[in-house]
Amino acid sequence: MATEEQIRESLDGVLVPGAMRSLVKLNLVSNIAVSGTKTSISIATAALNPQAQDWLKSKVGDVVGEMPGIEDVEVNFVEASPRELNEVDKVIAIMSGKGGVGKSLVTGLIGISLARQGYEVGILDADITGPSIPRMFGISGRPAGSETGIIPALSKLGIEIMSINLLLPHEDDAVIWRGPLIGKTITQFWEDVLWGKLDYLLVDLPPGTADAPLTVMQTLPLSGVVITFTPQDLAAMVVRKALQMAQKMNIPIKGVVENMSYFSLPDSGKRIEIFGSSKGQDMAKAAGAPLLAQLPIDPQLAQLCDEGNIERYDSDELKKLGDAFLKAMSAKSK
């Protein structure tokens, strides 16, 4: 006779329509009861429209009904909100003191590295007025869902992504909102999106220390932040403001990333520091956190981002970034 554990394992192969993640990974399996040859399964309705519920009821009945010793399968639906179901182990915000330093790029690269190592990853694009995550990942079209919640889009590697650009009629439509509405939208992306079970949720913050970063730091259960910057003196000066914000909000700084650190000449491999000498060690010291990576200017990466194929990118620097990030996450905060 099939056990509850075996039934749950079989349901891990049932993909939710519009999500392409399983019932188990989205944490929609509320209860499984086995009594003799009869099995009763309760599924949460969060973000499931009536058509998805009907399909799942039939599919679950078929899958579980084929298991040994199961003759009768009863599938029920129970009300639940995404907020009640989401189980996110670590929430990490990627922030910067100013714009144009590659914060969204660093968010994407960390997400890719984690996904390649088998972690369940999501990206919440909190840069409401300047979203770029969907374009880098080649994702377009509205996400699935219902009145009870939104199902995030899924990248080729299986990274869950939620961004305001996925809700706009056209990706180049301007979002001209004041701070309170931006903050409310970010909160909804956390509470009303069915993230399910995730190892890491990466939050791509807008630059600066204004309303949106403040909303994230006050509303989301952040495990820490990663600071992104470039070598220019101006960027180094401004990034200290972001450091001070995180410290004043008592959010652990898990590491710093220097982007556009250098350019390697194709013929000789010689490094040219286009934006000046590295500020990586200085910023790491100021943050009291490790320097996770010094990323080069890479034309191939830029092209892949423009094409929506960032997930095809691979390099030694990317591997080092992923390994350093995981090491920083496992270290105890000072």
Side-chain angles (χ1 to χ4, degrees):
M1 183 174 65
T3 64
E4 178 182 339
E5 183 178 350
Q6 291 171 330
I7 293 172
R8 189 175 295 274
E9 185 177 337
S10 71
L11 294 179
D12 198 27
V14 178
L15 301 182
V16 176
M20 300 312 293
R21 287 188 83 205
S22 74
L23 279 169
V24 173
K25 287 187 172 62
L26 283 174
N27 212 25
L28 288 171
V29 181
S30 177
N31 185 59
I32 299 174
V34 181
S35 178
T37 60
K38 182 178 179 180
T39 298
S40 177
I41 300 172
S42 298
I43 299 174
T45 59
L48 298 179
N49 59 40
Q51 293 79 13
Q53 292 181 35
D54 290 342
W55 186 89
L56 286 170
K57 184 174 184 177
S58 175
K59 183 66 175 180
V60 169
D62 291 342
V63 169
V64 179
E66 293 177 354
M67 300 186 70
I70 302 296
E71 297 179 2
D72 185 15
V73 181
E74 181 182 55
V75 180
N76 302 304
F77 289 92
V78 295
E79 292 186 4
S81 66
R83 186 177 184 179
E84 296 172 305
L85 300 176
N86 290 336
E87 292 184 9
V88 181
D89 188 20
K90 294 180 177 66
V91 183
I92 303 296
I94 288 79
M95 67 183 303
S96 64
K98 65 185 295 294
V101 299
K103 171 186 45 58
S104 297
L105 175 68
V106 170
T107 302
L109 291 178
I110 292 176
I112 291 167
S113 180
L114 292 173
R116 287 176 179 171
Q117 296 185 62
Y119 292 97
E120 296 290 334
V121 184
I123 295 178
L124 190 163
D125 188 355
D127 195 349
I128 303 299
T129 59
S132 57
I133 293 291
R135 166 60 74 90
M136 288 194 301
F137 282 85
I139 295 175
S140 60
R142 298 181 69 85
S146 68
E147 294 181 354
T148 59
I150 301 172
I151 296 175
L154 202 68
S155 76
K156 300 177 184 69
L157 278 177
I159 300 172
E160 290 191 326
I161 292 175
M162 187 63 212
S163 172
I164 192 67
N165 250 22
L166 300 178
L167 302 176
L168 299 175
H170 307 95
E171 69 171 6
D172 54 356
D173 286 349
V175 178
I176 309 172
W177 292 349
R178 295 188 183 275
L181 187 54
I182 291 175
K184 183 179 180 181
T185 301
I186 294 172
T187 301
Q188 287 182 308
F189 281 179
W190 167 247
E191 296 180 348
D192 297 339
V193 172
L194 182 62
W195 297 105
K197 296 180 179 181
L198 290 178
D199 298 306
Y200 290 95
L201 178 64
L202 306 177
V203 183
D204 181 20
L205 289 177
T209 57
D211 287 349
L214 186 60
T215 296
V216 169
M217 291 186 179
Q218 291 180 330
T219 305
L220 276 62
L222 291 182
S223 305
V225 299
V226 171
I227 308 288
T228 305
F229 60 95
T230 52
Q232 299 103 313
D233 287 334
L234 175 60
M237 180 272 291
V238 176
V239 78
R240 288 186 172 88
K241 298 179 183 293
L243 292 173
Q244 290 179 18
M245 181 181 189
Q247 291 164 347
K248 288 181 179 179
M249 299 294 293
N250 293 317
I251 306 297
I253 301 172
K254 291 297 183 179
V256 299
V257 176
E258 184 174 70
N259 190 32
M260 307 182 208
S261 184
Y262 60 90
F263 176 74
S264 293
L265 296 178
D267 53 348
S268 64
K270 181 180 179 181
R271 292 188 176 189
I272 305 296
E273 296 178 327
I274 296 177
F275 296 115
S277 59
S278 172
K279 306 295 188 299
Q281 295 299 334
D282 291 340
M283 290 297 99
K285 183 177 180 180
L291 175 61
L292 301 181
Q294 291 174 288
L295 301 176
I297 298 172
D298 190 336
Q300 180 195 18
L301 176 57
Q303 182 177 349
L304 289 172
C305 289
D306 288 343
E307 296 172 349
N309 290 318
I310 188 176
E311 288 171 300
R312 293 184 182 179
Y313 182 69
D314 198 11
S315 70
D316 291 339
E317 287 79 8
L318 175 58
K319 294 184 178 68
K320 291 176 183 177
L321 171 62
D323 291 343
F325 176 83
L326 288 172
K327 182 178 179 181
M329 291 306 302
S330 63
K332 292 183 179 179
S333 299
K334 297 180 180 180

